[in-house]
Structures are given as structure tokens and as C-alpha cells.
């Protein structure tokens, strides 16, 4: 069997990053940053008040000091007049601190008067002043290339002085489900038929990682059908589901093995039978057919391929304790769609083990629990790996 790492490295080696697009911030949500965003100016831009209160010279104020209010400085004020000794200035949050002032006393610790104010607190040098550049200096990297752009990253880019960012073009991913037993969602399955859930699963996963899915017409289990279905396809990546195993009617393997695609037994559960290669010059990943296997192999193999197209960094594998024990296959890494409990522990959503047809149970899963190949039993409380790319890709 082929180790998972080796299979993923092979998959990623088939990919090269797609080109760049310069887009408005509002169009960049959920996309991958292609060029590091640097600050155009210091953040904060200027020394400003962190509180509504009074700008003072700290050495001049103690409990009970009365002082003339020489100026009023609302947010948005231009350069305020310098603060003269023996006076203070009323100042609002975010307003520029006048030259000469070295502390702000919050209004709550005064009588709030506007002509002559009484302080109920002494001043500490530097208190309640946000210093220019303490967050970032002009020229500093604020958002690194390869990051997925969510609300936090885009607000940082806006604040750094940018209205547009460079992102990767959304890669087009052709999705092909195979199987004579499949009918469309909403159709009443006849005897021996089931609903095609993989087309929905794959196209939504492609969207979640930042690609544009193109769902090809479903392919029957007939020799030549897969090759014909892929003949005119123009895409950055092709993903097939089903028909890749050792069944007598497995059409993906029958058509593509030896024609640019190699098939492997990958040391993982679920998701053992898989193919990789190129068809008409386009990289292709052939996934198994069972829906949980498709969900898992997409995250483990196709996710990294798409992120290679997008120049995106791989999400970290986290760790969490197992809420309950479960069995793991000897010699195969295990990937279990899992429920996260409120105490941070995880338990299998789909029963674990080889129950990779449990598509209804998949709905409860939020993360993938990962157990290394050498482990044969997880006990409650054991630490397992956690892949959260499902969540991160929500932006
Ligand atoms: P296969 O690899 O083609 O033998 O498929 C393995 C299992 O997955 C079989 O039980 C299929 O019926 C099921 N399956 C294959 N494709 C789909 C699909 N698109 N939607 C739901 N189940 C599928
Ligand atoms: Mg099939």
C-alpha cells in the first residue's frame, strides 16, 4: 500500500499555480492572497487617545487638581494646538493627542467640566495614548501571500491603505460522478437505484476551497464512457468519484489506467482505491465512490491539489482528545468525520471504521479526526489529529 504522504506529494506535484487577478476588497472574500499586503502607513497613523477624556501633562495632575480646558479635540480633528503647561485639552477617542501631552485621563475620573475640570485621579505617563506605528509600521507585511482572505484579513488590508488586493484566479474544477445506479437529487429512486450525492458533495467542496465547479453529466458504467465524458473538458483539475476500484464494471479505472492515470491502494481508511495522473494534459484525481470516502479523500488529497493551484498555505493539523474510543485499521491512516463536543473533545460522526457509506451521518461532522497508520485502537482521552479545513474554508 502507498503511504498517504507519498500519495499527497504526488498529487501536489501535478499542479502549478494559476494566474493572478487584482480585485476590489469586496470581491476578495474567500479567495487566496497572491501578493503580500504591506502597510502604506503606520498603524495607528498618529498618536491618538484611547479614551474620551482630557489630554494632560502627567506630571501636572494629581487627585484634586483643577485645570483650565484650553482646547476641545474631537475625532477627525486636524493637528491640534500644542498643549501649554498648566492647561489640559478635552479629547475624544481616536482624536490626535496634542504636542506636549503625555497622558489622557478618562472622563469617568473627572467632573466632566468643559471650562475648568477637576481630576479625581492622578496621571500616569503614557496612559491611554495609542502610539503611532505600535500595530504596524509603514512597509510592514500585514497579510501574507497564501492566506485565505476572510473578514479579519480584508479589514487589515483596508486599514493598511489598500482598496484592491492580488488574488489567484479561481481554478475551474470538472467533477464527474459515475455509476449506473445513480439518479438526480429529488428523483424517486427505482429498484436498486440511489441518489447521486457525490456531485453535490464535490461541487460544494470545490467552492469551499475557492474553485469553480463544473459538474459534468453523470457517466454510466460502460467501457469508453469516461474517456468520452472527459474528451472535450477544459479545466484546471478533474475530479471523478466512483468506478476506481476492483469491481467488474469500474469504468474510471477501465478507461484511464495506463492512459495517463495510475491507480493505487493508498494506506488510508476510508479511501483506499484512488488514481492520479493527467488526461488530455489536465491533472486528474480519481476518488472512490462511497460518499464518506469522497468527503475524506477530497480533504486529504484534492484539498492540497487545489491549494497548490491557488498558492495557498496548508491549514495546520490541530490536536484534540477523543471523547470515546474506536477501532482503527492496521497499517492504514484513519480519517474520521467527527463531531466537536463543547469541551473540545471529538467523537466520530460516521461511526468510524469502514462505514464509509453513512452519508446521512456525515451531516453532523465538522472536522476530520486523524489517526496515524500505526495506531490500532483509539481510547477515550487519547489525543488525535484534527483537520479543520472544512471550517477554515468558510472564510
Ligand atoms: P464504486 O466505487 O463505484 O463501486 O462505488 C462505491 C459505492 O459508492 C457504491 O455503493 C456506490 O453506489 C456508491 N456511490 C458511487 N457513486 C455515488 C454517488 N455519486 N453518490 C452516492 N453514492 C455513490
Ligand atoms: Mg460505481
Amino acid at each position: 500500500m502507498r503511504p498517504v504522504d507519498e500519495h499527497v506529494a504526488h498529487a501536489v506535484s501535478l499542479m502549478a499555480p494559476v494566474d493572478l487577478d487584482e480585485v476590489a476588497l469586496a470581491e476578495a472574500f474567500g479567495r487566496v492572497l497572491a501578493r503580500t499586503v504591506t502597510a502604506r502607513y503606520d498603524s495607528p497613523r498618529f498618536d491618538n487617545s484611547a479614551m474620551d477624556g482630557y489630554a494632560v501633562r502627567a506630571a501636572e495632575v494629581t487627585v484634586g487638581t483643577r485645570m483650565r480646558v484650553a482646547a476641545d479635540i474631537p475625532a477627525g480633528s486636524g493637528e491640534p494646538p500644542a498643549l501649554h503647561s498648566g492647561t489640559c485639552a478635552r479629547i475624544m477617542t481616536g482624536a490626535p493627542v496634542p504636542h506636549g501631552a503625555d497622558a489622557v485621563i478618562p472622563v469617568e475620573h473627572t467632573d466632566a467640566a468643559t471650562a475648568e475640570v477637576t481630576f479625581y485621579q492622578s496621571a500616569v505617563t503614557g496612559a491611554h495614548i495609542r502610539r503611532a506605528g505600535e500595530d504596524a509600521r509603514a512597509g510592514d507585511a500585514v497579510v501574507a501571500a497564501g492566506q485565505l482572505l476572510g473578514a479579519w484579513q480584508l479589514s487589515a488590508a483596508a486599514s493598511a491603505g489598500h482598496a484592491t488586493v492580488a488574488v489567484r484566479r479561481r481554478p475551474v474544477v470538472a467533477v464527474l460522478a459515475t455509476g449506473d445506479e445513480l439518479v438526480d437529487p429529488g428523483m424517486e429512486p427505482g429498484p436498486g437505484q440511489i441518489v447521486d450525492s457525490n456531485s453535490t458533495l464535490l461541487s460544494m467542496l470545490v467552492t469551499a476551497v475557492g474553485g469553480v465547479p463544473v459538474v459534468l453529466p453523470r457517466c454510466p458504467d460502460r467501457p469508453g464512457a469516461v474517456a468520452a465524458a472527459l474528451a472535450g473538458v477544459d479545466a484546471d483539475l478533474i475530479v471523478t468519484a466512483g468506478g476506481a476500484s476492483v469491481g467488474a464494471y469500474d469504468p474510471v479505472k477501465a478507461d484511464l489506467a495506463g492512459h495517463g492515470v495510475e491507480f493505487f491502494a493508498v494506506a488510508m481508511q476510508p479511501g483506499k482505491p484512488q488514481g492520479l495522473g493527467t488526461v488530455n494534459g489536465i491533472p486528474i484525481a480519481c476518488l472512490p465512490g462511497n460518499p464518506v470516502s469522497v468527503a475524506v479523500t477530497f480533504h486529504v488529497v484534492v484539498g492540497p491539489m487545489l491549494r497548490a493551484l491557488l498558492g495557498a498555505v496548508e491549514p495546520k493539523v490541530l490536536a484534540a482528545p477523543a471523547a470515546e474510543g474506536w477501532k482503527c485499521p492496521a497499517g492504514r491512516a484513519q480519517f474520521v468525520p467527527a463531531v466537536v463536543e463543547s469541551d473540545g473533545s471529538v467523537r466520530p460522526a460516521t461511526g468510524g471504521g469502514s462505514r464509509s457509506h453513512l452519508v446521512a451521518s456525515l451531516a453532523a461532522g465538522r472536522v476530520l479526526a486523524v489517526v496515524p497508520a500505526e495506531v490500532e485502537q483509539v481510547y477515550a482521552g487519547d489525543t488525535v489529529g484534527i483537520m479543520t479545513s472544512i471550517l477554515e474554508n468558510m472564510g
Side-chain angles (χ1 to χ4, degrees), residues 84-301:
H84 294 298
S85 182
T87 69
C88 65
R90 194 165 76 134
I91 191 166
M92 300 300 140
T93 304
V97 171
H99 189 74
D102 60 4
V104 169
I105 299 192
V107 65
E108 295 88 331
H109 302 298
T110 72
D111 66 359
T114 52
E116 194 171 67
V117 64
T118 302
F119 295 110
Y120 304 147
Q121 199 180 51
S122 57
V124 177
T125 305
H128 307 301
I129 295 178
R130 305 156 166 173
R131 292 295 176 193
E134 70 182 8
D135 182 22
R137 289 275 173 207
D140 280 357
V142 172
V143 193
Q147 297 300 312
L148 194 64
L149 296 171
W152 294 9
Q153 292 71 33
L154 289 167
S155 71
S159 146
H162 301 272
T164 64
V165 285
V167 296
R168 293 283 166 186
R169 171 173 70 74
R170 290 187 193 277
V172 175
V173 182
V175 165
L176 180 68
T178 67
D180 284 335
E181 71 278 32
L182 304 173
V183 299
D184 281 335
M187 278 180 63
E188 212 43 46
Q193 294 187 320
I194 61 165
V195 176
D196 169 15
S197 58
N198 286 341
S199 294
T200 300
L201 176 64
L202 284 172
S203 61
M204 296 301 102
L205 286 171
V206 166
T207 306
V209 182
V212 178
V214 174
V215 180
L216 301 175
R218 232 177 7 249
C219 199
D221 291 326
R222 184 166 22 84
V226 171
L230 299 181
V233 168
D234 184 16
D236 297 294
L237 173 65
I238 300 168
V239 181
T240 67
S245 190
V246 293
Y249 304 98
D250 279 345
V252 173
K253 195 168 182 181
D255 277 14
L256 303 183
H259 296 91
V261 183
E262 273 181 281
F263 286 81
F264 306 94
V266 183
M268 61 189 286
Q269 183 200 58
K272 189 163 83 168
Q274 292 187 57
L276 284 176
T278 55
V279 169
N280 308 323
I282 302 171
I284 184 169
C286 302
L287 309 183
N290 273 306
V292 178
S293 309
V294 175
V296 164
T297 50
F298 187 96
H299 280 287
V300 175
V301 180

